[in-house]
Amino acid sequence: MLKFWCLLLGKDFELISTYRRSSQEKIILFGSILMIPVILWGLNGYLMSREIFGMGVISSMLVGVILSFIIYLIERSIILASNNEWVNRMRVLLGLIVAILGSLTMDEVIFKNDIDQMMQVYKIEGVDSETGKMDSLYVHRIDSLGRVVNYKTGVYNQRSEEYALELEGKANSGQGGDGPLAKRKEILMNRAYDDLKKDQDILKGLEEEYRKNRELVKQDVKDNFNDKGLLIRMKALFRLILSDWVTFIVFFLYFLLVLILETLVIFMKKFTPLSVDEEIELLGDKLLLNRKRSEIEERKRVYGLGN
């Protein structure tokens, strides 16, 4: 088993096998915690691809394997990196970025059903926004034309009543019958009717155009709404968790759990003390370095080279 962990971490098994038991256990420890983010990202990549983006099983598995391999390389580089100050800072920064991204994407999978409901809210809001624009484009025109039609309807009714009274002889003229005055009132009535009918047809056509365009806009928003987009789903996630304190607490606990699992490698590397064999190896490197420096200085002195 030790050979597997050495292979995983890029360590020399022949050398490690000569180490003390405590040093070998440290190799096993780092190999074990290395597998945690690798497994999480592989599972996360598969579930994200399969459940959220709707990819096939083989494609989703391939995405999971690729993500796992990338995270494996990153986490292994964190473990193998030297303890230089700037290297440590970059290591911590890189690890935190990977951990936070991993936590957020994992939350996308965990809260998928809740986010799907929030996406429906976004879709409804999108439909309302676009239909609102259509309303502002047509409603004022329809209302204005409707008032004109109402006015002309009153004019036509008035002309019709005047013509009927003239035929019955009840008008102020007192003539009655189909006389010249009645014919003139009939012409006025017919003109009022034609004028009214023209505007009624225009109003009917405008209302039909408004209804059709409104339905087209609604359908277009629904058809083009991308509920698989990662950024909009992230936005929906944060809107969801900020809408209710209970939701926020549940999300925070899940996020914190995944974040801790993702950052184990960083903290174990940062705060785990060196083993005896590592200290001996480090001391040997320092002694070798000092010896080489002394040899170089001696050669400079022999050949009369200055500093």
Side-chain angles (χ1 to χ4, degrees):
M1 196 64 180
L2 178 63
K3 191 172 185 178
F4 169 75
W5 297 120
C6 290
L7 180 64
L8 188 70
L9 295 175
K11 299 286 188 178
D12 184 358
F13 171 70
E14 298 298 330
L15 178 62
I16 299 298
S17 61
T18 64
Y19 281 5
R20 293 168 176 79
R21 182 62 185 172
S22 59
S23 300
Q24 294 178 0
E25 288 175 349
K26 186 176 179 181
I27 296 295
I28 297 173
L29 171 65
F30 275 110
S32 301
I33 61 174
L34 171 65
M35 292 301 297
I36 294 175
V38 171
I39 293 173
L40 284 177
W41 273 89
L43 181 63
N44 189 29
Y46 173 80
L47 292 175
M48 284 279 290
S49 303
R50 182 69 177 157
E51 299 296 329
I52 295 178
F53 297 116
M55 298 172 65
V57 175
I58 302 299
S59 300
S60 300
M61 291 177 65
L62 184 60
V63 170
V65 169
I66 292 173
L67 282 177
S68 292
F69 183 67
I70 293 173
I71 297 304
Y72 162 71
L73 293 177
I74 293 174
E75 299 292 343
R76 194 180 75 158
S77 68
I78 291 174
I79 292 174
L80 296 179
S82 63
N83 287 320
N84 179 275
E85 180 184 356
W86 286 103
V87 172
N88 283 334
R89 291 179 181 178
M90 290 299 297
R91 183 176 64 199
V92 171
L93 179 61
L94 178 62
L96 286 175
I97 291 174
V98 170
I100 291 172
L101 288 177
S103 301
L104 289 175
T105 51
M106 183 63 76
D107 289 331
E108 282 284 333
V109 175
I110 295 172
F111 299 104
K112 176 183 179 297
N113 293 334
D114 302 286
I115 293 173
D116 286 341
Q117 291 183 353
M118 187 58 67
M119 295 303 289
Q120 293 302 314
V121 173
Y122 277 136
K123 183 183 290 187
I124 293 172
E125 289 177 350
V127 170
D128 291 343
S129 175
E130 293 301 317
T131 53
K133 295 176 183 178
M134 194 61 61
D135 292 344
S136 64
L137 192 64
Y138 279 93
V139 169
H140 178 69
R141 293 166 58 192
I142 290 174
D143 288 344
S144 299
L145 190 56
R147 287 192 292 269
V148 172
V149 168
N150 289 335
Y151 171 75
K152 291 186 176 181
T153 299
V155 172
Y156 169 69
N157 291 335
Q158 182 181 353
R159 297 285 187 246
S160 297
E161 185 178 352
E162 289 175 355
Y163 175 63
L165 291 174
E166 188 65 35
L167 288 175
E168 295 173 2
K170 296 180 181 179
N172 293 333
S173 64
Q175 295 179 7
D178 193 18
L181 188 57
K183 289 186 178 296
R184 189 170 67 182
K185 289 186 177 182
E186 182 182 11
I187 292 172
L188 292 174
M189 179 189 70
N190 290 334
R191 286 178 179 173
Y193 174 76
D194 292 339
D195 196 21
L196 171 63
K197 188 67 169 59
K198 178 182 176 181
D199 284 345
Q200 283 179 332
D201 291 340
I202 294 174
L203 178 60
K204 183 178 179 181
L206 188 62
E207 289 175 337
E208 183 65 19
E209 178 185 334
Y210 166 59
R211 185 187 64 80
K212 288 182 178 179
N213 286 341
R214 201 171 192 274
E215 290 301 317
L216 286 174
V217 166
K218 288 171 64 175
Q219 193 61 43
D220 183 62
V221 172
K222 291 178 181 178
D223 292 342
N224 294 316
F225 184 78
N226 181 20
D227 59 352
K228 304 297 183 184
L230 183 59
L231 291 180
I232 193 171
R233 293 185 70 86
M234 285 287 185
K235 181 180 177 182
L237 172 64
F238 281 102
R239 180 175 175 180
L240 177 67
I241 62 178
L242 293 175
S243 63
D244 180 72
W245 66 272
V246 176
T247 309
F248 175 78
I249 291 175
V250 173
F251 162 79
F252 179 75
L253 291 176
Y254 272 105
F255 177 80
L256 189 61
L257 172 63
V258 177
L259 184 64
I260 291 173
L261 293 176
E262 293 275 1
T263 52
L264 273 177
V265 172
I266 301 173
F267 289 106
M268 293 299 290
K269 174 67 176 179
K270 183 74 175 174
F271 298 109
T272 301
L274 294 175
S275 65
V276 175
D277 295 287
E278 285 176 322
E279 290 183 353
I280 293 173
E281 186 177 347
L282 185 60
L283 181 60
D285 291 340
K286 288 181 179 180
L287 290 174
L288 179 60
L289 180 60
N290 290 333
R291 182 185 304 168
K292 292 296 181 182
R293 284 175 176 171
S294 298
E295 290 177 359
I296 292 172
E297 291 297 327
E298 180 64 23
R299 288 181 182 180
K300 283 182 178 182
R301 187 183 65 77
V302 170
Y303 292 106
L305 298 176
N307 290 332

